[in-house]
Amino acid sequence: MELPRTTLTLILLLGTAVLGVTLLFTTMDPWMNSGGILAGGLDAHIYRDGGWRLWHGRALYLEPTHYGLLYTYTPFSAVVFLPLLLVPWGFVTTTWLVLNLAVLVGCVLQSWRMLGYRVTPRLVTISALIALAGTFAEPVRTTLYYGQINLWLMLLVLWDFSRGEHSKLRGLGIGIAAGIKLTPLYFIAQYLFQRQWRAAATAALTFLATIAGTALILPRDSFQYWTSTFFHSGRIAPDVHPANQSLRGAIAHLTHGPAPIWLWLLIAVPIAITALWLSARLARRGEPLLSVTLGGLTACAISPYSWGHHWVWFVPLLVYLIHRAQTRRRWWLAAGVLYPAIAAWTYTYTPTWVSVGTFLLPPWWPLSQILMNIYVVLYLITLVSIAVGLRGRTPPPIDPIVMEQPATAPDPRGLDPLVVVPLPARPVENA
């Protein structure tokens, strides 16, 4: 199907794109060293440094990398980042920024395809407008600023879930994404709940292959990572940091101290199981995009530590809301609430310290506890909304089909020649 040619959609998306890009360049000096969108690329340089260390036989985890920061990704990721060595050091920031923007458009287009839309010039234009508006969404803006890899991983996952149920390639993207960054392992559980056994096995075997293959190339780093570094979440940041937008971070924020592991698990495990069950129901009801989006948001929520830029899964959620708004305009309200809530609002503490994101607004503001945990709050609202929506959906009604007996063949039993046979209008899902 094609996206309806509605003037309202075009006006809203064009206006939001112009507003988003304008705010992106005016809320903070784009060349400001500590946050300007054109002066970033820190993580992209760390990725390149990881590839450089592999190429030159240097340790990945025993010494700091660029700017004294520690390398936290898997050894396999360093293999993936080797092509970055082809980009001169001074061009890494710009190159990665342009590539990330292209991948962002790809994620939006892939989201539309999973909703059943054909790729047309109009759809590409709409996707570009959504991507431009998305640059002022904090998860996207921060991903672009740091030169993060979140959008690439999301595209891999979306591509994987768009494969046919019997595709031999289904699971490959998940395994590769998990090999780079462990969070996508959650999607293997999602495949299992959907009874996609082959896809789950393919993903698991691909992930294990990334470990085994890298161990042959980097035995020392692999041993160091899987026996020590992997268990040191403190290498990232303390639980109580406002940027930790996860359930564990929310607990730490509310208790003003490190989150007890038992309490975190007591809350995170039931939520994860509930989300997996809901995702499976969504998949069975023909909602693949919402199903995988819920999975991506849940993976961020239950992770021990989730930076704001991990929540790029709000982008396909926005696409889904815009899709629903094509038939029911009230869905524009949901999109209109979500977008400003995740926007990259800035607050200037000092001339050289400007925070980005709703969760980093001043703690003395009203509703600070909600603002500090805004992504977790939005996730829980999404989870509950999906649960209520699925509960409220009833099977399609059984429509009677009228069948007339031939006039030349009267029923010998003297029954009325007009017979009403109840048949379903379409297959009813066994939920």
Side-chain angles (χ1 to χ4, degrees), residues 57-145:
R58 300 284 295 272
L60 276 175
Y61 306 106
L62 299 179
E63 54 188 46
T65 63
H66 186 51
Y67 269 90
L69 297 174
L70 299 173
Y71 196 82
T72 59
Y73 289 88
T74 65
F76 174 69
S77 68
V79 178
V80 174
F81 295 141
L82 273 174
L84 279 174
L85 294 179
L86 299 175
V87 182
W89 184 265
F91 292 91
V92 170
T93 297
T94 303
T95 301
W96 198 252
L97 176 63
V98 172
L99 290 175
N100 257 335
L101 287 171
V103 172
L104 175 59
V105 176
C107 288
V108 177
L109 269 175
Q110 186 62 46
S111 297
W112 286 117
R113 290 187 68 248
M114 294 182 70
L115 289 168
Y117 292 91
R118 292 193 302 109
V119 177
T120 63
R122 174 180 170 78
L123 190 66
V124 173
T125 301
I126 292 295
S127 299
L129 291 177
I130 294 174
L132 288 174
T135 58
F136 192 64
E138 186 278 330
V140 174
R141 187 217 186 273
T142 310
T143 291
L144 296 177
Y145 167 69

Side-chain angles (χ1 to χ4, degrees), residues 177-259:
I180 299 172
K181 193 172 183 177
L182 300 177
T183 307
L185 284 173
Y186 175 87
F187 293 102
I188 298 179
Q190 190 159 327
Y191 272 144
L192 291 174
F193 265 71
Q194 294 180 15
R195 300 182 182 180
Q196 294 289 310
W197 313 120
R198 184 166 66 180
T202 300
L205 290 174
T206 302
F207 171 66
L208 293 175
T210 66
I211 297 176
T214 309
L216 296 176
I217 304 173
L218 303 171
R220 182 182 60 183
D221 289 318
S222 295
F223 181 81
Q224 170 68 29
Y225 182 83
W226 294 110
T227 61
S228 178
T229 305
F230 170 72
F231 299 98
H232 296 162
S233 61
R235 288 169 63 93
I236 303 174
D239 288 348
V240 295
H241 197 292
N244 186 6
Q245 292 297 294
S246 69
L247 288 167
R248 186 170 176 175
I251 295 170
H253 300 158
L254 295 173
T255 59
H256 306 288

Side-chain angles (χ1 to χ4, degrees), residues 162-326:
S162 70
R163 301 299 90 197
E165 290 187 5
H166 303 291
S167 171
K168 294 181 180 180
L169 296 178
R170 192 167 193 178
L172 185 66
I174 301 296
I176 294 174
I180 299 172
K181 193 172 183 177
L182 300 177
T183 307
L185 284 173
Y186 175 87
F187 293 102
I188 298 179
Q190 190 159 327
Y191 272 144
L192 291 174
F193 265 71
Q194 294 180 15
R195 300 182 182 180
Q196 294 289 310
W197 313 120
R198 184 166 66 180
T202 300
L205 290 174
T206 302
F207 171 66
L208 293 175
T210 66
I211 297 176
T214 309
L216 296 176
I217 304 173
L218 303 171
R220 182 182 60 183
D221 289 318
S222 295
F223 181 81
Q224 170 68 29
Y225 182 83
W226 294 110
T227 61
S228 178
T229 305
F230 170 72
F231 299 98
H232 296 162
S233 61
R235 288 169 63 93
I236 303 174
D239 288 348
V240 295
H241 197 292
N244 186 6
Q245 292 297 294
S246 69
L247 288 167
R248 186 170 176 175
I251 295 170
H253 300 158
L254 295 173
T255 59
H256 306 288
I261 294 181
W262 66 268
L263 180 57
W264 165 55
L265 293 176
L266 185 65
I267 297 174
V269 171
I271 287 179
I273 293 174
T274 300
L276 287 168
W277 177 68
L278 291 174
S279 295
R281 290 195 63 190
L282 287 168
R284 290 198 300 270
R285 289 178 179 264
E287 295 275 16
L289 179 64
L290 189 56
S291 175
V292 68
T293 299
L294 178 59
L297 294 173
T298 302
C300 295
I302 66 174
S303 176
Y305 201 104
S306 288
W307 294 99
H309 53 73
H310 292 171
W311 291 82
V312 289
W313 284 97
F314 282 127
V315 172
L317 180 59
L318 277 171
V319 174
Y320 180 81
L321 295 176
I322 295 169
H323 155 69
R324 294 299 300 271
Q326 301 310 299

